[in-house]
Amino acid sequence: MGRRRAPELYRAPFPLYALQVDPSAGLLIAAGGGGAAKTGIKNGVHFLQLEQINGRLSASLLHSHDTETRATMNLALAGNILAAGQDAHCQLLRFKTHQQKGKNKAEKAGSKEQGPWQRKGAAPAEKKSGAETHQEGVELSVENLQAVQTDFSADPLQKVVCFNHDNTLLATGGTDGYVRVWKVPTLEKVLEFKAHEGEIEDLALGPDGKLVTVGWDLNASVWQKDQLVTRLHWQENGPTFSNTPYRYQACRFGQVPDQPAGLRLFTVQIPHKRLRQPQPCYLTAWDGSTFLPLQTKSCGHEVISCLSVSESGTFLGLGTVTGSVAIYIAFSLQRLYYVREAHGIVVTDVAFLPEKGRGPELLGSHETALFSVAVDSRCQLHLLPSRRTVPVWLLLLLCVGLIVMSILLLQSAFPGFL
């Protein structure tokens, strides 16, 4: 029996590092590039139109936005504004979609850069930053807004960016260990503080203004503005009592399904050093108010590279450095879906199809859809079929019926049974 494979949704002409989904327009936004090295590998942000065609979810290249010499390593989305981490800077982009009224010369000239799912007649011509690309029926334009340097180490790199709940602020973290908070869209700095000794690996902003950061110094910290509220304590009471130090690789807030005010924090813990005998990685759910651990489960020996939480807080998506992709259910941390080495190389980002906007229409009969991108330039689709659940009352009724039937059969066979 062959290895299970996930459908390839799109292949870019450069390594992919970051992924976002716009539910209102049904857009999948994938970004990456070859950086400033003169290797001939371009840098860009690709806007893909998601559609249901013959009962299958497909993606076609709608617009290719050239980022010149800057590869995009991380993305955050707020409405139609993208925050793109490019080297030591954060670049804000605004995109708009319109119904196409006519064709221009550039469209007729065609383009050399086309993915395998490029729509017939589409012409995503490579142009200068902010250029438009036209496609039959739809056109999309991208505008460069503000840009600001967000990291100031000797080898500066913005590693993560995140919007707050109302999209008025964004927070950035990188190799210098500082968290910086900026107004949107002016990128005026409103807060700066040292959060970790060494690199910040991930950060998450909660709806109540609390900020969680994880870093290479093995700490995970909760902040209210620049004041330390508490640290997360996992290994002290965790499932592993070995001397192997663990660090937090990722952190994400998620809603509690059916509890409008409920909030969970999810973290991934990986061994700080790779040993000859691989140690397991762990997935932990925390109370979003007290930040006490609720449950922890092993998620295998493959090192986790990225984490995503679905919009409703029902599912967790994981990618690994060996290219595998998994979907877990959030309330029990049970694995529901797994494809080993789906990419064959490090998975750089995963994102769920949102449950609002065009999400339900695009999802069809499936319960959830997870997208993954990797250094292999591919974007893959992972679909979780709807689980056919039977209500508890129906199960009890069936059990009672079987018991009654068994008693009646025994009475007919053995009149003196009862």
Side-chain angles (χ1 to χ4, degrees), residues 10 46-49 59-64 113-115 117-119 122 124 135:
Y10 179 74
H46 280 192
F47 295 80
L48 310 174
Q49 185 72 64
S60 57
L61 180 60
L62 180 61
H63 180 83
S64 175
E113 184 178 328
Q114 295 192 15
W117 289 91
Q118 176 67 40
R119 276 188 192 163
Q135 189 176 53

Side-chain angles (χ1 to χ4, degrees), residues 100-113:
Q100 183 180 353
K101 296 181 179 179
K103 298 181 179 181
N104 57 20
K105 295 179 181 179
E107 182 184 5
K108 295 177 182 178
S111 171
K112 294 181 179 179
E113 184 178 328

Side-chain angles (χ1 to χ4, degrees), residues 51-170:
E51 293 177 299
Q52 275 279 353
I53 299 179
N54 297 326
R56 297 182 63 181
L57 188 61
S58 66
S60 57
L61 180 60
L62 180 61
H63 180 83
S64 175
H65 179 72
D66 183 13
T67 56
E68 301 175 350
T69 61
R70 305 178 305 277
T72 298
M73 306 300 292
N74 42 83
L75 283 175
L77 178 63
N80 68 337
I81 293 180
L82 276 173
Q86 300 171 348
D87 300 326
H89 294 78
C90 184
Q91 171 74 59
L92 289 188
L93 305 170
R94 179 187 286 127
F95 61 92
K96 294 181 180 179
T97 56
H98 317 271
Q99 287 299 314
Q100 183 180 353
K101 296 181 179 179
K103 298 181 179 181
N104 57 20
K105 295 179 181 179
E107 182 184 5
K108 295 177 182 178
S111 171
K112 294 181 179 179
E113 184 178 328
Q114 295 192 15
W117 289 91
Q118 176 67 40
R119 276 188 192 163
K120 184 178 179 181
E126 285 295 323
K127 305 175 187 176
K128 292 183 180 180
S129 182
E132 294 188 5
T133 297
H134 295 266
Q135 189 176 53
E136 184 179 351
V138 179
E139 62 181 10
L140 187 142
S141 61
V142 180
E143 174 190 4
N144 282 334
L145 300 178
Q146 300 294 325
V148 68
Q149 185 170 351
T150 59
D151 196 79
F152 296 87
S153 65
D155 188 16
L157 177 66
Q158 177 182 300
K159 300 192 70 175
V160 61
V161 59
C162 178
F163 284 97
N164 68 341
H165 70 287
D166 61 2
N167 300 329
T168 58
L169 300 171
L170 65 83

Side-chain angles (χ1 to χ4, degrees), residues 129-279:
S129 182
E132 294 188 5
T133 297
H134 295 266
Q135 189 176 53
E136 184 179 351
V138 179
E139 62 181 10
L140 187 142
S141 61
V142 180
E143 174 190 4
N144 282 334
L145 300 178
Q146 300 294 325
V148 68
Q149 185 170 351
T150 59
D151 196 79
F152 296 87
S153 65
D155 188 16
L157 177 66
Q158 177 182 300
K159 300 192 70 175
V160 61
V161 59
C162 178
F163 284 97
N164 68 341
H165 70 287
D166 61 2
N167 300 329
T168 58
L169 300 171
L170 65 83
T172 60
T175 55
D176 65 3
Y178 278 83
V179 169
R180 296 177 175 90
V181 180
W182 315 83
K183 285 185 179 180
V184 178
T186 62
L187 291 186
E188 175 189 347
K189 185 167 61 177
V190 296
L191 186 64
E192 177 182 45
F193 64 94
K194 181 80 168 179
H196 292 273
E197 297 298 328
E199 299 181 13
I200 293 176
E201 191 64 35
D202 202 3
L203 58 83
L205 277 166
D208 59 353
K210 287 190 174 64
L211 172 71
V212 177
T213 62
V214 300
W216 276 69
D217 56 5
L218 311 187
N219 288 321
S221 304
V222 182
W223 309 87
Q224 189 74 56
K225 293 187 176 181
D226 58 350
Q227 298 300 307
L228 180 64
V229 176
T230 186
R231 295 197 192 277
L232 303 186
H233 298 283
W234 175 79
Q235 193 164 6
E236 296 89 332
N237 304 299
T240 174
F241 299 97
S242 69
N243 294 323
T244 303
Y246 277 74
R247 67 177 175 86
Y248 297 85
Q249 170 66 14
C251 59
R252 289 288 184 276
F253 280 106
Q255 296 180 1
V256 180
D258 302 323
Q259 295 183 27
L263 190 65
R264 293 284 183 267
L265 175 71
F266 299 95
T267 62
V268 167
Q269 294 81 234
I270 66 172
H272 185 55
K273 295 181 179 179
R274 296 189 182 183
L275 304 176
R276 182 176 299 177
Q277 182 66 32
Q279 299 295 307

